[in-house]
Amino acid sequence: MSLTTKEIVDQLVKVLEPSRVKIHTDDLQFYGNDWSNIDKPNPLAIVFPKTIKEVQAIVDLANRLSFPLVPSGGRTGLSGGALAKDRELVVSFDRMNKILEFNKADNLVICQPGVVTRALKDFAESKGLFYPVDFASVGSSQIGGNVATNAGGVNVLRYGMTRDWIKGIKVVTGTGELLDLNRGLKKNATGFDFRHLFIGSEGTLGFIVELTLEFTNPPKDLNVMLMGLNSIENTTQVLAIFKERLDLTAFEFFSDIAMQKVLESKKLRNPFNHSYRFYALVEFENNYDEQLIVASELFEKCIDSEYAAEGVVSQNKRQAREFWEFREGITESIASYTPFKSDVSCRISQTPAFLSGLDKILNRFNPKIEAVLFGHLGDGNVHINLLKPIQMDNEEFREECKMIAERIFDLVKSLGGSISAEHGIGLTKKPYLNYSRDEAEIKYMRGVKRLFDPKNIMNPGKLIDL
């Protein structure tokens, strides 16, 4: 017999102060949802632990009383991974938001999972160092959520994913046990590294309660070049030329529709005299004069090869930030359209074939549905955002988008790519997991889930089904 909300809350207030247990409708709606907005949130209650012991006590109670848990960070996810729709208890890490320790000799910082990503980046900067993971939601996402989804962003080409900066992790498993994994070690050859099981696991194996992250030296004298291109194939051709002689920190692309939405929303001035089908943004260090000369030579090669039609290069930091705004302002500029999003990746060598196939897929469907394309092309990651026409019914739009997404996933599967490059699987992509993982892998994933969470209380229904 299942317990009532009151009976469970009566037990929760024995573990936490009553002020840190919320059941008001506004709190339930706010903390029970994420940016996916795929369903109405319907959580049991919201709790705000401050310590690892409190998280363990919550997990123990959930096991004893048989109710499910959903982790909540900045709730910026786009796959429904933090959605609580089936009377789950939402565990918010907003109160576990402290930077606990910094060691200059190791360049390591220890922090709680609720630290906002921007705050961590600012802390690194205050120490003369750099935390390189960067993406549009750094101002609201939390580091625990970044790790749970293995977040990527604009710097992956040079610095890798979140996974590459996690040197230690403490997790509370589905049994309530605390695991202290790797402990900040650079080298550790002592068997299985469970740390990497929890990175990207979306809270389905356990809850991240403490992190040890590595900082690095900041890049110096960054320059940004923005180029106008006439075709989608030109994007990978320009990338190949620039990689010949420059160690890039970023290579981004976006479509003209994306550019127009940003210009309209942000009231920015177009740096070009003409509109182009696509744009490429190249970032590189200019810590010695020859690099800018090399970049200019590579740009001329792109012009001569007719891969690029026009280009501008930043003259100072302010202008570099302005050029980045054309790329980073896209998500905010199209938010009011409630876009249908796909986030996929393939090997860089397969990117030309993917982009060509994508162009054909999009041309087969309703021409009134605008496709806003952008992505981190330097690491093979493309974001496809479909915008609903004003006159189209919501249900009709979603059905059309699902058909487009399935064709895109078919293409990704044929190229050996991933249906989710950096947004996770959550609820939205769970039906398509077998496009990127074979049945043997999924079987072992279920086995790992049962090992760490035998009662299936940790974010159940997300990523995989038992």
Side-chain angles (χ1 to χ4, degrees):
M1 179 178 176
S2 59
L3 298 178
T4 65
T5 298
K6 182 180 183 305
E7 288 172 325
I8 293 175
V9 168
D10 286 345
Q11 295 299 314
L12 287 169
V13 296
K14 296 177 182 178
V15 172
L16 302 176
E17 300 164 356
S19 63
R20 291 191 280 126
V21 180
K22 306 287 188 183
I23 56 172
H24 191 276
T25 301
D26 290 345
D27 293 317
L28 298 180
Q29 295 300 303
F30 181 74
Y31 287 98
N33 208 353
D34 59 16
W35 284 3
S36 66
N37 286 314
I38 59 171
D39 208 338
K40 292 182 179 180
N42 184 34
L44 169 77
I46 319 296
V47 291
F48 298 85
K50 289 183 177 180
T51 67
I52 293 173
K53 286 189 178 299
E54 287 181 345
V55 175
Q56 288 182 284
I58 292 167
V59 174
D60 288 341
L61 191 63
N63 273 295
R64 185 156 48 86
L65 301 183
S66 297
F67 59 83
L69 305 172
V70 170
S72 175
R75 299 170 302 284
T76 58
L78 296 167
S79 298
L83 173 65
K85 65 183 184 67
D86 296 315
R87 303 296 290 163
E88 303 97 333
L89 177 70
V90 174
V91 182
S92 169
F93 289 96
D94 282 3
R95 307 287 180 91
M96 294 180 70
N97 60 358
K98 294 181 175 59
I99 293 175
L100 303 173
E101 183 182 327
F102 172 70
N103 188 301
K104 176 63 176 175
D106 296 321
N107 278 359
L108 294 178
V109 62
I110 300 174
C111 69
Q112 294 179 310
V115 171
V116 172
T117 313
R118 169 55 63 195
L120 185 68
K121 292 177 71 67
D122 289 346
F123 180 80
E125 186 176 345
S126 74
K127 301 298 181 181
L129 296 167
F130 183 55
Y131 180 64
V133 180
D134 198 2
F135 41 84
S137 63
V138 291
S140 50
S141 69
Q142 294 177 7
I143 192 66
N146 298 171
V147 176
T149 55
N150 191 27
V154 297
N155 288 333
V156 172
L157 175 62
R158 174 74 172 273
Y159 296 103
M161 303 283 281
T162 296
R163 180 185 305 279
D164 299 295
W165 301 93
I166 306 303
K167 303 308 174 186
I169 183 171
K170 288 183 181 180
V171 294
V172 174
T173 71
T175 65
E177 187 173 11
L178 177 66
L179 300 182
D180 188 0
L181 306 173
N182 198 59
R183 301 178 181 87
L185 296 172
K186 179 77 74 173
K187 300 178 77 172
N188 182 3
T190 55
F192 304 130
D193 190 346
F194 289 139
R195 165 184 42 153
H196 291 293
L197 278 176
F198 289 90
I199 298 171
S201 66
E202 302 183 35
T204 60
L205 305 180
F207 290 167
I208 296 164
V209 291
E210 189 176 289
L211 291 154
T212 301
L213 305 100
E214 186 175 23
F215 293 155
T216 189
N217 292 320
K220 297 179 181 178
D221 300 319
L222 291 173
N223 274 95
V224 176
M225 184 178 290
L226 191 63
M227 287 172 278
L229 317 176
N230 286 318
S231 76
I232 199 167
E233 291 82 8
N234 289 158
T235 55
T236 53
Q237 292 164 334
V238 169
L239 172 62
I241 285 179
F242 271 86
K243 285 178 67 177
E244 287 176 3
R245 296 170 61 192
L246 282 181
D247 185 13
L248 305 178
T249 56
F251 188 97
E252 302 284 305
F253 92 104
F254 49 96
S255 62
D256 182 53
I257 297 175
M259 171 70 102
Q260 297 308 317
K261 298 299 182 187
V262 172
L263 291 173
E264 179 184 340
S265 173
K266 301 285 187 178
K267 310 300 181 187
L268 300 176
R269 183 183 67 84
N270 193 330
F272 297 113
N273 296 320
H274 304 282
S275 294
Y276 298 96
R277 285 196 67 200
F278 292 92
Y279 299 87
L281 183 149
V282 183
E283 184 184 74
F284 57 93
E285 287 186 272
N286 185 33
N287 45 20
Y288 55 89
D289 292 340
E290 289 81 358
Q291 284 190 290
L292 191 55
I293 295 172
V294 168
S296 299
E297 292 173 353
L298 295 174
F299 170 68
E300 291 299 328
K301 186 175 180 179
C302 291
I303 293 289
D304 293 342
S305 302
E306 298 185 348
Y307 297 158
E310 190 178 354
V312 289
V313 65
S314 61
Q315 302 299 311
N316 49 53
K317 291 182 179 180
R318 178 188 58 78
Q319 195 170 49
R321 287 195 297 270
E322 289 176 356
F323 289 169
W324 265 111
E325 185 66 14
F326 294 120
R327 164 60 187 87
E328 293 189 322
I330 296 171
T331 299
E332 182 181 346
S333 297
I334 63 175
S336 62
Y337 295 87
T338 59
F340 187 97
K341 295 173 176 285
S342 292
D343 154 51
V344 299
S345 70
C346 58
R347 296 192 305 277
I348 294 172
S349 61
Q350 298 280 16
T351 305
F354 173 76
L355 292 177
S356 176
L358 176 64
D359 209 24
K360 293 174 183 176
I361 290 170
L362 295 175
N363 287 333
R364 288 192 202 122
F365 288 87
N366 192 328
K368 294 181 180 180
I369 296 178
E370 290 184 308
V372 174
L373 306 180
F374 64 89
H376 324 300
L377 206 62
D379 53 58
N381 179 192
V382 179
H383 296 267
I384 304 108
N385 299 263
L386 305 177
L387 309 186
K388 188 182 81 67
I390 296 175
Q391 68 276 18
M392 184 177 282
D393 176 75
N394 285 338
E395 189 59 32
E396 179 188 357
F397 172 67
R398 291 197 67 82
E399 288 304 312
E400 183 108 359
C401 287
K402 286 180 181 178
M403 288 191 290
I404 296 173
E406 287 180 2
R407 300 296 179 276
I408 293 171
F409 294 161
D410 284 336
L411 176 61
V412 168
K413 183 179 181 180
S414 72
L415 297 172
S418 172
I419 61 165
S420 181
E422 56 184 8
H423 290 166
I425 295 297
L427 289 169
T428 61
K429 291 189 175 180
K430 189 174 64 172
Y432 308 104
L433 183 60
N434 63 345
Y435 282 61
S436 294
R437 297 293 190 101
D438 62 33
E439 188 52 45
E441 285 183 285
I442 295 173
K443 177 183 175 182
Y444 279 111
M445 290 171 71
R446 292 192 184 105
V448 171
K449 167 75 168 170
R450 292 189 186 98
L451 176 66
F452 287 101
D453 181 26
K455 290 192 175 182
N456 193 28
I457 64 166
M458 307 301 270
N459 216 7
K462 315 295 171 52
L463 181 58
I464 52 173
D465 285 322
L466 292 182

